[in-house]
Amino acid sequence: MPMDASAQDSAKNTRAAFDVVIVGAGFGGMYMLHRMRQLGLSTRVYDTATGVGGTWYWNRYPGARCDIESMQYSYSFSPELEQEWRWPETFSAQPDILRYANHVADRFDLRRDMQFETTVESAHFDDAAGRWTVKTNRGDLVSARWLIMATGCLSTARVPDFKGLESYTGKTYHTGYWPHEGVDFTGMRVGLIGTGSSAIQALPVIAEQAAHITVFQRTPNYSIPSRNRPMDDAYEQHWKSSYREHRAKARMTRNGVITPLSDKGAVEVDEATRREVFEARWKSGGTTFMAAFNDLIVNADSNETAAEFVRQKIRQIVKDPATAELLAAKDYPIGTKRICVDTDYFETFNRPNVKLVDIRNAPVEELTPKGLKQGGKDYEFDAIVFATGFDAMTGTLERIDIRGRDALALKDEWKDGPRTYLGMMSAGFPNMFMITGPQSPSVLSNMIVSIEQHVDWMTDCIAHAERNGVATVEPTREAQDAWNVHNTETAYKTLYPKAASWYMGANIPGKPRVFLPYIGGVGVYRAKCDEIAANGYEGFTMRRADAGKLAAAK
Ligand code: FAD
Ligand code: N01
């Protein structure tokens, strides 16, 4: 992994002033840096990691793979990059996406403005100066006019605070902080906790190596086979020959992905037709299963037909009926936790070295020196894998001591859930943008599409401010409140709030139960953001350095 030279000499920047500080060197931070350079702004990027890639740097667990097709999960900002890069598979594996991120960093010479192995600990806004003061764990104390949080939605992995965690003497791993050198599970007795997307991808691969693996499941998940395959040359050419049109189309879809979306509801057709449609989607594979009908996330009856179809598939695949029944999710609608995509997940439970343990009513009691105790039984493991997810969307931001006007703490402002305007800015925190922040489409979309949309919009806004002598940009409380109401109302028109998911903050004890992403759709959201900009940044207050208001909120 190429290491940034500047990481060695962070001391020289200890008191530097930049136009822009970006926190995070994933796809969001990388593209933002590229755009800020185009504006001629001096920029510094910090990341805790030793290299670029964010999610794809950290999540190196076996089987890690994208659930958006490779031709779509990639940057669109450079036609040359689009043409020259070749993806080996239809759904890219983590090492290929990380290679791509490194290629982009090289191609656009991004590393010279990046400082790795550096965690931003605090960011305080100085009202008088109209600047942010940013402190890192390496002693840097820098200031910037613009602060961009490119910190990611799923970047703070969480191990539940199991009693006795420290007493366990075997190896522990979290899928979100996987060792770079990989892990050889050969001959090991492994415990896997969690059955979300990460576990669903990791299990089949680990099971091939391990002597035995015990999977502890609290909630079963719906998963669709990915049908991943080597990239077909003709398919690649089809995309590359008209990338501009494809990208333009993807930007206006519901979730940033071009996928054949039915114009019919599931309950509008007869049972035989429905089965045929689901069967075809199951055969072609991937998240597109949820687009089989246009009402699956709003109509409980329609949703149930899709859920039951998947349950039947599980019953056909898994030979032991009791295990199949445990794996078949029944008490929340399909798709309201992120739909999973797998390669041989359910099939893996037919292996003699794999055992499923239902812990819904009998949680893990404690970790012990040799393993763990659950349901009154002691299990011994050489390694325990936590696939227990993330403190999503707000967790990473709230771990940084962010203080806006009058030392207002973001954590306090958000104690009942995030409060943002468009998921991009929060009132009281001038000049601080959040790429794919809470209450934006973010995790409900092809995230590269959403990242590019945010970065481009923010770049235009910053350019507008720079051109017009604007010192601070900040949303009004009224606009923010209206967006919060809209975000919640939109979510409650769907079935999503019915699941205890991380979208609702339900996976973190004590986290407020509010729907975190914006579900109105990528295309709708983009049009709204564009309209706001065209109307002179409606809902934002822009102040000149002399405190005169340039554009008041409407
Ligand atoms: P990230 O990639 O999360 O990067 C954020 C960076 O900020 C990290 O490198 C982190 O170290 C750094 N950072 C955070 N806080 C600090 C701090 N205080 N100081 C310094 N650095 C900090 N999305 C899809 O669209 N399709 C998929 O198939 C898909 N698969 C995924 C699979 C996994 C396992 C996970 C976890 C996520 C997946 N996602 C997927 C979502 C994925 O996070 C986004 O697609 C995208 O990579 C996010 O890029 P980002 O730059 O916004 O954030
Ligand atoms: O995390 P998760 P993830 N005791 O939160 C269980 C993206 N992603 O890393 O459901 C026992 O989904 C928890 O149980 P429950 C994608 O957006 C994409 O798998 O809360 N179990 C659950 O089973 C995804 O949604 C891909 O009851 C405990 C699991 O741990 C997001 O990242 C691949 C527990 C956590 O599942 C997060 O996925 C990977 C406890 N105390 C990730 N605490 C693709 O395929 C938690 N669990 C593209």
Side-chain angles (χ1 to χ4, degrees):
M1 188 63 47
M3 251 277 288
D4 177 44
S6 62
Q8 316 302 335
D9 55 8
S10 87
K12 87 173 182 211
N13 290 320
T14 294
R15 306 254 165 220
F18 298 100
D19 294 320
V20 187
V21 160
I22 300 172
V23 191
F27 285 122
M30 289 167 72
Y31 182 44
M32 193 74 195
L33 168 60
H34 180 65
R35 295 301 322 265
M36 293 300 96
R37 278 187 188 164
Q38 288 175 335
L39 293 187
L41 300 178
S42 65
T43 305
R44 167 98 339 179
V45 181
Y46 295 106
D47 201 304
T48 307
T50 63
V52 298
T55 285
W56 307 103
Y57 169 94
W58 294 108
N59 291 263
R60 300 173 190 233
Y61 60 84
R65 187 178 290 285
C66 198
D67 66 3
I68 309 275
E69 281 195 12
S70 312
M71 298 312 292
Q72 305 206 48
Y73 189 82
S74 53
Y75 283 127
S76 73
F77 71 84
S78 162
E80 297 77 22
L81 172 67
E82 267 173 352
Q83 293 300 325
E84 77 198 11
W85 187 260
R86 298 206 65 186
W87 295 105
E89 296 177 277
T90 45
F91 291 97
S92 293
Q94 170 273 329
D96 288 321
I97 305 176
L98 185 57
R99 244 191 304 283
Y100 173 74
N102 276 289
H103 171 76
V104 173
D106 291 339
R107 199 187 193 291
F108 298 95
D109 188 21
L110 298 179
R111 288 191 184 82
R112 73 182 147 87
D113 290 321
M114 292 180 163
Q115 184 173 313
F116 294 112
E117 295 182 271
T118 307
T119 299
V120 168
E121 292 184 332
S122 70
H124 294 182
F125 185 70
D126 177 343
D127 238 328
R131 295 181 70 85
W132 285 91
T133 302
V134 175
K135 262 194 210 168
T136 78
N137 66 337
R138 297 176 60 123
D140 305 277
L141 185 67
V142 301
S143 85
R145 261 174 32 78
W146 303 99
L147 174 64
I148 315 289
M149 307 311 288
T151 41
C153 295
L154 295 157
S155 48
T156 298
R158 180 175 181 272
V159 174
D161 39 11
F162 291 120
K163 188 177 152 201
L165 190 57
E166 300 307 321
S167 71
Y168 176 61
T169 53
K171 300 269 187 204
T172 56
Y173 305 99
H174 192 293
T175 50
Y177 293 130
W178 204 259
H180 290 198
E181 63 281 11
V183 182
D184 183 1
F185 289 104
T186 307
M188 286 195 192
R189 295 160 305 166
V190 181
L192 172 64
I193 303 182
T195 49
S197 302
S198 300
I200 282 176
Q201 291 185 326
L203 173 68
V205 188
I206 300 177
E208 277 179 13
Q209 277 184 358
H212 191 274
I213 181 161
T214 309
V215 182
F216 294 93
Q217 172 184 277
R218 189 163 68 182
T219 312
N221 241 309
Y222 299 95
S223 187
I224 312 296
S226 77
R227 313 287 181 207
N228 180 44
R229 55 200 175 276
M231 182 62 72
D232 176 75
D233 287 347
Y235 188 66
E236 180 184 357
Q237 260 331 103
H238 158 75
W239 273 86
K240 287 192 170 175
S241 62
S242 40
Y243 240 138
R244 298 277 60 74
E245 292 82 351
H246 288 314
R247 300 291 202 185
K249 197 170 161 196
R251 289 183 193 117
M252 296 317 292
T253 58
R254 194 172 77 194
N255 40 23
V257 185
I258 300 178
T259 197
L261 176 64
S262 167
D263 58 359
K264 285 212 165 45
V267 287
E268 288 173 41
V269 300
D270 61 44
E271 202 183 326
T273 310
R274 212 161 39 225
R275 169 152 280 283
E276 208 176 290
V277 170
F278 284 140
E279 200 63 64
R281 296 275 173 160
W282 181 269
K283 267 207 187 86
S284 60
T287 57
T288 172
F289 182 83
M290 288 306 295
F293 293 101
N294 66 8
D295 61 349
L296 294 182
I297 61 156
V298 290
N299 182 322
D301 293 337
S302 295
N303 186 285
E304 177 55 21
T305 64
E308 186 52 27
F309 177 87
V310 174
R311 286 180 212 125
Q312 292 294 355
K313 284 289 179 197
I314 296 169
R315 289 173 188 130
Q316 284 163 18
I317 296 168
V318 180
K319 290 187 183 130
D320 173 46
T323 303
E325 236 24 70
L326 285 178
L327 287 168
K330 296 183 191 87
D331 59 358
Y332 65 96
I334 184 170
T336 55
K337 280 175 180 252
R338 179 153 176 132
I339 187 85
C340 300
V341 164
D342 70 277
T343 303
D344 293 340
Y345 174 64
F346 295 116
E347 288 81 349
T348 298
F349 289 93
N350 293 331
R351 295 178 63 108
N353 67 335
V354 177
K355 182 176 168 52
L356 181 68
V357 177
D358 173 25
I359 62 168
R360 170 166 303 211
N361 299 316
V364 172
E365 289 157 41
E366 61 177 324
L367 264 68
T368 60
K370 289 190 169 171
L372 62 79
K373 190 173 194 155
Q374 179 276 334
K377 187 174 166 191
D378 279 307
Y379 292 84
E380 290 191 4
F381 297 122
D382 302 305
I384 295 180
V385 175
F386 297 105
T388 44
F390 300 85
D391 188 350
M393 304 211 71
T394 53
T396 308
L397 289 164
E398 289 181 353
R399 274 166 180 74
I400 304 170
D401 176 22
I402 299 175
R403 288 171 196 267
R405 286 192 196 285
D406 306 320
L408 184 71
L410 188 80
K411 205 169 157 36
D412 294 340
E413 271 293 282
W414 287 11
K415 66 179 186 328
D416 298 322
R419 303 194 69 76
T420 78
Y421 184 37
L422 301 173
M424 282 202 245
M425 292 191 107
S426 197
F429 301 85
N431 294 5
M432 184 186 89
F433 288 100
M434 297 167 288
I435 300 177
T436 66
Q439 304 181 333
S440 75
S442 57
V443 292
L444 296 175
S445 68
N446 172 352
M447 286 200 69
I448 300 200
V449 171
S450 289
I451 283 169
E452 286 191 333
Q453 185 254 336
H454 263 190
V455 170
D456 290 339
W457 194 97
M458 290 167 191
T459 303
D460 289 349
C461 181
I462 290 171
H464 171 88
E466 295 279 328
R467 263 196 320 271
N468 290 288
V470 169
T472 59
V473 179
E474 182 183 354
T476 66
R477 296 241 164 224
E478 295 73 23
Q480 176 168 288
D481 290 348
W483 187 254
N484 289 338
V485 169
H486 176 61
N487 196 71
T488 304
E489 281 179 357
T490 314
Y492 277 84
K493 284 179 190 155
T494 74
L495 302 171
Y496 273 81
K498 290 192 185 296
S501 67
W502 60 260
Y503 294 139
M504 293 290 294
N507 64 329
I508 305 293
K511 194 163 170 169
R513 295 278 180 118
V514 294
F515 195 73
L516 293 167
Y518 176 61
I519 201 173
V522 162
V524 170
Y525 173 81
R526 173 184 290 269
K528 181 82 191 152
C529 292
D530 289 350
E531 184 190 314
I532 284 168
N535 287 343
Y537 293 96
E538 199 175 2
F540 290 92
T541 303
M542 298 205 172
R543 284 199 173 80
R544 288 183 188 280
D546 60 9
K549 255 192 213 180
L550 188 77
K554 296 185 182 167

